[in-house]
Amino acid sequence: MSTALSIQNLNYKRNRQVILHDGQLTLSTGKIVGLLGENGAGKTTLMRLITGNAQGQGVIKVGDSSDVMHRKQKTSFSDHLKGFDKSTKINQVVKFYQTVYPDFSNDRYQEMATFLQLDASQKLTALSKGTKEKLIIALTLARQTELYLLDEPFSGIDSMSRKQVISSILKWTPDNATLLISDHYVHEIASLLDEIVVVKDQTIAVHKGADEIRDQLGVEIEDYYESLYEVGGAADDK
Amino acid sequence: MTSSFSLFKVMGQTKVRRINWLIILELIATVVTTLWTAISGNFSSVSLFYAFCSWAIFPYLIGVILVAIVAEKAYTSDTYRLIPISNWKFYAMNLLSSLAAFIYLVLVQVVLYALTAAIGWSSLSDSYEQMQLMMSQYGMSFNFWAAAGTILGLSLVINILAWSTISLVHLVMNSASNFLPKARQRVVNIIVYVIVIFLTLRIVTFLFGWLSNLMYTAFGSSNIDSLWLGILVMVVAIVLESALNIVMINKWVETNPN
């Protein structure tokens, strides 16, 4: 199995504050990986560093390329669409994606849009939080890339929307692609995951397989994750 | 990879959309002013032209600012910065699409000038003939197309310089956050603001002096070389600022988190 993402000696400061230090991580292709951590732990920052939209020190490779432009080409990140006017319609956003991403598949998008019941004529400002998340997921997964980064796709959405989003992720993520999905509520995504990565104490503290946690440690992912935050709990156990 | 043209297209569309709103507002203002003239009992065939002329300056001024805002947001927006294209192409397409949007505004304005002038031509033709007669009496040979072309070229270079300077200030402030704690960052921002205001005043003073020279050149005969020398200086400034901007985008400028 080849390497989808490798991170070596990653350090990142902002306003002279250390956000992440000594980050090391290697992900294989074809895995669904949960990126877990508390609010403000640095999950989104780690994703932005992978895309090259935040600039840290160290080596980040997507596939075999560390060049930022190639990383952007090989990575589909769940942009929250803040670059669009609120009056922009969904079909205009889709047109934008079709124009700037040569790997954007309109057929895949249309399938997902039908499944997720997205109305192309709706304006961004009229979308509920759940519908907006569905749109973001559909746009992100409609690109055909090696690595997908979904940044808190279940944040603030209802259980029905959450189920639809999970179904779309399972249905439309290509088999050979790697999916890194961040959340701070592990129970929402535990059933999806092959591996977990935990950002804690300003570094990548844990990287374990879901089966390893269940079989060798004999606990569920949720329990293992919670134990990391208990005093004297499992710590820094890569 | 994304082609430069694709990026130019999406960036241009966003800016042209803003310009269109501006033109709609200008047209509404022109119509309302003309209606008011009619209600006041002073309506003539040339009223629409005069009303349009009285509002025409605002789209230029506001348009330059609106386009600058859209352009600057692109540097710190994930929506744009996730696009797989090199940073220098990203910068160039951002600047070129701003220029294209401004040229679009100028062309629409020219068409609107022509349309409103055509409606009131019966009154305007007399004024135009009188002006030509007056100029010939004073020995001024007015080459309209040469003057219009020079003014257009000049205004485009001035706009590009304004946009690249705005980018320089914005990107310096964004880059500074990598190296300074938040409190000191505010101090740096204030210092940069003061320097920029000082430089802007100097540049505006220089440009006013220069424009008066231009008008003299356009209406009469003078040494036009100094005009082109000034344009050359501005082009060099644009190239230097752009080089600095691209270095900052490459090394330090980050997007705003989601």
Side-chain angles (χ1 to χ4, degrees):
Chain A
M1 200 173 277
S2 57
T3 302
L5 172 71
S6 74
I7 294 174
Q8 292 162 16
N9 306 320
L10 180 63
N11 292 287
Y12 177 70
K13 282 181 183 178
R14 191 77 182 164
N15 294 117
R16 295 192 77 181
Q17 277 191 318
V18 175
I19 311 292
L20 287 170
H21 67 86
D22 303 317
Q24 316 282 348
L25 181 66
T26 303
L27 299 181
S28 304
T29 52
K31 303 280 185 188
I32 298 182
V33 182
L35 179 60
L36 309 174
E38 292 175 304
N39 274 331
K43 303 186 293 294
T44 303
T45 301
L46 181 59
M47 287 188 167
R48 291 174 60 242
L49 284 162
I50 294 167
T51 64
N53 279 358
Q55 315 219 18
Q57 289 172 327
V59 180
I60 299 174
K61 283 186 181 176
V62 176
D64 55 1
S65 183
S66 59
D67 175 70
V68 172
M69 193 168 59
H70 286 100
R71 272 169 26 211
K72 285 179 181 176
Q73 190 189 13
K74 292 176 174 183
T75 306
S76 184
F77 177 61
S78 57
D79 172 40
H80 284 216
L81 310 176
K82 287 185 178 170
F84 296 100
D85 289 338
K86 286 179 180 172
S87 60
T88 309
K89 289 180 179 173
I90 288 180
N91 56 10
Q92 291 173 312
V93 176
V94 174
K95 188 79 188 158
F96 177 97
Y97 269 70
Q98 275 183 288
T99 307
V100 299
Y101 294 114
D103 54 19
F104 184 85
S105 164
N106 193 43
D107 291 341
R108 270 166 70 89
Y109 172 79
Q110 294 305 336
E111 277 180 43
M112 279 185 270
T114 306
F115 178 76
L116 294 168
Q117 296 164 310
L118 294 170
D119 175 3
S121 64
Q122 268 196 302
K123 290 181 177 178
L124 293 182
T125 190
L127 302 182
S128 66
K129 194 153 188 177
T131 309
K132 193 172 178 190
E133 282 300 336
K134 287 179 193 172
L135 172 63
I136 291 168
I137 292 291
L139 291 167
T140 309
L141 295 180
R143 285 188 63 198
Q144 292 175 308
T145 58
E146 295 174 20
L147 179 64
Y148 294 89
L149 306 175
L150 303 184
D151 186 20
E152 301 195 356
F154 310 112
S155 171
I157 64 174
D158 61 72
S159 61
M160 280 311 294
S161 298
R162 198 177 302 147
K163 280 177 188 167
Q164 280 186 309
V165 169
I166 289 172
S167 301
S168 333
I169 291 170
L170 290 172
K171 195 171 175 184
W172 276 286
T173 303
D175 291 338
N176 56 350
T178 301
L179 193 143
L180 188 61
I181 177 167
S182 76
D183 211 334
H184 46 270
Y185 296 120
V186 66
H187 67 272
E188 291 179 325
I189 55 170
S191 59
L192 291 174
L193 304 177
D194 297 313
E195 297 174 359
I196 63 161
V197 170
V198 181
V199 180
K200 185 173 172 279
D201 301 328
Q202 300 167 329
T203 193
I204 298 166
V206 174
H207 177 204
K208 276 194 186 299
D211 290 341
E212 185 187 348
I213 294 169
R214 290 189 193 105
D215 299 342
Q216 292 178 15
L217 302 176
V219 290
E220 289 301 314
I221 292 174
E222 296 95 317
D223 298 327
Y224 174 76
Y225 176 59
E226 281 172 16
S227 73
L228 294 174
Y229 293 90
E230 289 166 4
V231 179
D236 299 347
D237 186 13
K238 286 194 190 179
Chain B
M1 298 296 163
T2 304
S3 71
S4 300
F5 179 70
S6 297
L7 185 61
F8 173 83
K9 206 168 134 187
V10 292
M11 285 178 155
Q13 280 169 347
T14 312
K15 290 164 185 169
V16 165
R17 221 172 283 142
R18 298 285 170 96
I19 295 291
N20 282 339
W21 278 112
L22 211 53
I23 292 166
I24 288 169
L25 287 176
E26 181 192 26
L27 289 175
I28 291 170
T30 302
V31 169
V32 169
T33 309
T34 309
L35 284 174
W36 180 252
T37 310
I39 290 164
S40 310
N42 301 317
F43 185 78
S44 70
S45 63
V46 81
S47 296
L48 195 63
F49 178 73
Y50 287 147
F52 180 74
C53 287
S54 65
W55 289 105
I57 187 69
F58 294 105
Y60 293 117
L61 296 176
I62 301 168
V64 169
I65 296 164
L66 281 182
V67 166
I69 291 169
V70 176
E72 292 315 305
K73 277 186 179 170
Y75 295 123
T76 54
S77 158
D78 277 332
T79 303
Y80 285 94
R81 290 291 301 280
L82 285 168
I83 295 169
I85 193 166
S86 66
N87 285 330
W88 79 266
K89 283 183 185 171
F90 186 93
Y91 179 82
M93 290 309 112
N94 203 7
L95 205 55
L96 278 178
S97 58
S98 297
L99 190 63
F102 186 76
I103 291 172
Y104 167 76
L105 171 65
V106 171
L107 290 177
V108 173
Q109 293 291 90
V110 167
V111 169
L112 292 172
Y113 268 121
L115 278 176
T116 51
I119 292 167
W121 188 245
S122 54
S123 306
L124 287 172
S125 59
D126 292 342
S127 309
Y128 181 69
E129 281 164 14
Q130 279 174 7
M131 193 175 75
Q132 280 201 319
L133 187 68
M134 187 182 74
M135 284 168 67
S136 62
Q137 278 173 349
Y138 286 97
M140 295 166 83
S141 58
F142 182 63
N143 185 341
F144 173 78
W145 293 109
T150 311
I151 290 170
L152 179 64
L154 187 66
S155 64
L156 293 182
V157 175
I158 290 171
N159 278 349
I160 297 173
L161 181 62
W163 288 322
S164 63
T165 307
I166 290 168
S167 292
L168 184 72
V169 173
H170 175 212
L171 300 180
V172 163
M173 289 174 177
N174 187 294
S175 301
S177 61
N178 280 290
F179 309 103
L180 299 167
K182 274 193 174 165
R184 286 199 195 161
Q185 200 184 328
R186 281 187 212 109
V187 175
V188 169
N189 288 353
I190 290 166
I191 293 168
V192 173
Y193 279 134
V194 170
I195 292 170
V196 168
I197 289 166
F198 173 75
L199 286 176
T200 307
L201 287 174
R202 291 299 297 254
I203 290 168
V204 167
T205 311
F206 167 74
L207 288 177
F208 268 110
W210 190 33
L211 280 172
S212 62
N213 183 37
L214 168 72
M215 297 315 287
Y216 179 68
T217 307
F219 279 91
S221 60
S222 179
N223 182 10
I224 204 163
D225 290 348
S226 62
L227 183 73
W228 289 106
L229 184 69
I231 288 179
L232 188 67
V233 169
M234 287 205 284
V235 170
V236 170
I238 290 166
V239 170
L240 288 175
E241 285 185 345
S242 296
L244 280 171
N245 288 339
I246 292 166
V247 167
M248 284 190 283
I249 293 168
N250 268 328
K251 288 187 175 295
W252 301 300
V253 176
E254 298 186 356
T255 58
N256 295 323
N258 279 329

